[in-house]
Amino acid sequence: MSSKIYFITGSSRGIGLELVKQLAAKGNTVIASARNPEGSAELQKLVDDKKVFSVKLDVQSDASVKAAVDKVNEISPEGIDVLINNSGIIAPKPSVSHTAKPELWSDIYETNVVGVVRVTQHFLPVLRKKDTRQVINIGSDSGSLELANRADLNAPYHCSKAALNMFTRCLSHDLQNEKFTIVSIHPGWVITDMGGKEAALTTEDSVASMVKVFEGYTQKDNGWYGNWKGERMPW
């Protein structure tokens, strides 16, 4: 399989960092971004400015995203094949629907939804330089309305992931004539700072499975929502 050029948000730790490791190990070029990439010793161990690069990016800042686009254009003037929107935050527990403060909802949405929209819109010209044109949104089973069937859910987070799913669907329809592939994938319940120590999957296992799914994406998968095993999920 031919190598690709990936741009990944939220790459300083957790799933994002593991994506950098595994995608680079497969011979791909990876441009890893984070708010403070120099502050991640593990990320800097991977950066060689040949196959792995790091770029500063704050998804909540329009100026920061524009600067990141400029840097990516310097690193890879031929464009990128795949944008992976991995950045995300979760609300502290308990954050239920009838008591979580509106300011908290706004903060969660600014990163998990608006941040993804901002990055995607600014990077579309970079993606259009190549024929692959894939946007992979790291979603969650929390975004499934059908699976949200119990009380005391982390409402701001769940709602933000449902909104991310809808953005995925909207974008997939709006860009289908340009032969884009836009998907949302649930990585599983993963042992990270966000997922917690009681989670079922290691980052290594989750990412290894997701990368296999990534490698199989074609334009026929445009608008797909599924999990790390390649199984479709209910919206």
Side-chain angles (χ1 to χ4, degrees):
M1 183 172 292
S2 60
S3 62
K4 294 187 173 88
I5 302 172
Y6 288 81
F7 181 82
I8 308 172
T9 68
S11 300
S12 62
R13 60 183 180 176
I15 290 172
L17 179 63
E18 189 62 28
L19 281 167
V20 177
K21 290 180 183 178
Q22 295 198 25
L23 288 169
K26 284 179 167 284
N28 299 290
T29 298
V30 182
I31 306 172
S33 72
R35 281 180 296 179
N36 180 24
E38 291 79 12
S40 171
E42 292 302 309
L43 175 59
Q44 291 308 310
K45 288 179 184 177
L46 302 173
V47 173
D48 60 7
D49 290 330
K50 295 178 181 178
K51 299 297 289 186
V52 179
F53 303 82
S54 68
V55 172
K56 188 172 183 177
L57 174 71
D58 180 354
V59 302
Q60 293 192 5
S61 166
D62 206 58
S64 177
V65 176
K66 288 179 179 178
V69 170
D70 290 341
K71 185 65 176 177
V72 170
N73 281 327
E74 292 177 11
I75 294 169
S76 180
E78 69 271 32
I80 62 172
D81 292 285
V82 186
L83 165 63
I84 301 181
N85 285 308
N86 172 68
S87 289
I89 57 175
I90 193 168
K93 298 178 181 179
S95 295
V96 295
S97 57
H98 58 293
T99 58
K101 299 296 184 183
E103 295 80 8
L104 176 60
W105 290 73
S106 179
D107 189 42
I108 297 297
Y109 267 69
E110 182 61 32
T111 294
N112 294 0
V113 185
V114 180
V116 173
V117 173
R118 179 179 290 114
V119 170
T120 303
Q121 288 181 347
H122 281 300
F123 272 89
L124 285 179
V126 190
L127 286 158
R128 287 185 175 111
K129 293 180 180 181
K130 306 271 280 184
D131 292 330
T132 314
R133 300 183 180 188
Q134 293 181 357
V135 178
I136 300 171
N137 295 324
I138 303 299
S140 172
D141 58 350
S142 300
S144 170
L145 297 183
E146 186 172 330
L147 297 179
N149 53 13
R150 62 180 175 83
D152 299 327
L153 296 174
N154 190 311
Y157 178 74
H158 278 67
C159 290
S160 73
K161 289 300 184 179
L164 178 63
N165 276 353
M166 181 57 78
F167 174 64
T168 301
R169 288 299 296 268
C170 291
L171 194 67
S172 69
H173 289 300
D174 292 339
L175 296 180
Q176 61 184 343
N177 290 337
E178 295 187 56
K179 298 183 179 180
F180 271 81
T181 303
I182 318 293
V183 302
S184 177
I185 186 168
H186 166 47
W189 185 22
V190 185
I191 301 170
T192 62
D193 289 345
M194 185 182 296
K197 296 180 180 178
E198 302 301 318
L201 285 169
T202 64
T203 54
E204 292 84 359
D205 288 343
S206 169
V207 169
S209 294
M210 283 199 294
V211 167
K212 290 180 182 178
V213 178
F214 295 170
E215 291 174 338
Y217 284 144
T218 69
Q219 290 169 6
K220 292 181 180 179
D221 297 301
N222 187 38
W224 182 88
Y225 171 44
N227 64 23
W228 74 104
K229 295 181 284 187
E231 300 166 338
R232 284 189 174 271
M233 296 183 62
W235 294 97

